[in-house]
Amino acid sequence: MADKPSSGEILGIPYNFERPSLGRLLSSYWQPDEGMLVEKPFGIGYTLNLANWRSWIVLAVAGGLYYQQTQSAGAAGASDDDADASDEPVEVIVDDD
């Protein structure tokens, strides 16, 4: 039986299942001459190129959205009176005219 290739491309999406080395991991996330997305060092698809300034904007926006979500979830959990009111059963009246 022929060995299956451990890296390549399927339908334009790269894959690489070779065991990653530390050097390959570091060099794949920092490629100054490439665009914002680069091939992942292990797995399927693309990852952010940290040598590109656009990647840092994407990370900052994602971090800001995550922070906003955790703050709003904490504020919603702080008001227990509203949560108790929403747990009560609701009466629904259906008019069959």
Side-chain angles (χ1 to χ4, degrees), residues 11-42:
L11 300 173
I13 300 173
Y15 67 91
N16 189 354
F17 294 112
E18 296 173 1
R19 187 174 187 166
S21 65
L22 183 61
R24 195 173 95 207
L25 283 172
L26 294 176
S27 68
S28 64
Y29 288 108
W30 191 268
Q31 296 181 14
D33 298 333
E34 296 294 324
M36 187 174 86
L37 296 176
V38 292
E39 293 181 11
K40 291 176 90 173
F42 182 79

Side-chain angles (χ1 to χ4, degrees), residues 75-88:
S79 59
D80 291 334
D81 296 335
D82 294 336
D84 291 340
S86 65
D87 290 340
E88 296 177 9

Side-chain angles (χ1 to χ4, degrees), residues 16-74:
N16 189 354
F17 294 112
E18 296 173 1
R19 187 174 187 166
S21 65
L22 183 61
R24 195 173 95 207
L25 283 172
L26 294 176
S27 68
S28 64
Y29 288 108
W30 191 268
Q31 296 181 14
D33 298 333
E34 296 294 324
M36 187 174 86
L37 296 176
V38 292
E39 293 181 11
K40 291 176 90 173
F42 182 79
I44 301 171
Y46 296 94
T47 188
L48 291 175
N49 179 9
L50 297 178
N52 191 309
W53 61 272
R54 291 181 196 101
S55 299
W56 290 102
I57 292 174
V58 169
L59 289 174
V61 168
L65 290 173
Y66 178 74
Y67 177 76
Q68 181 183 11
Q69 178 186 5
T70 57
Q71 293 301 315
S72 64

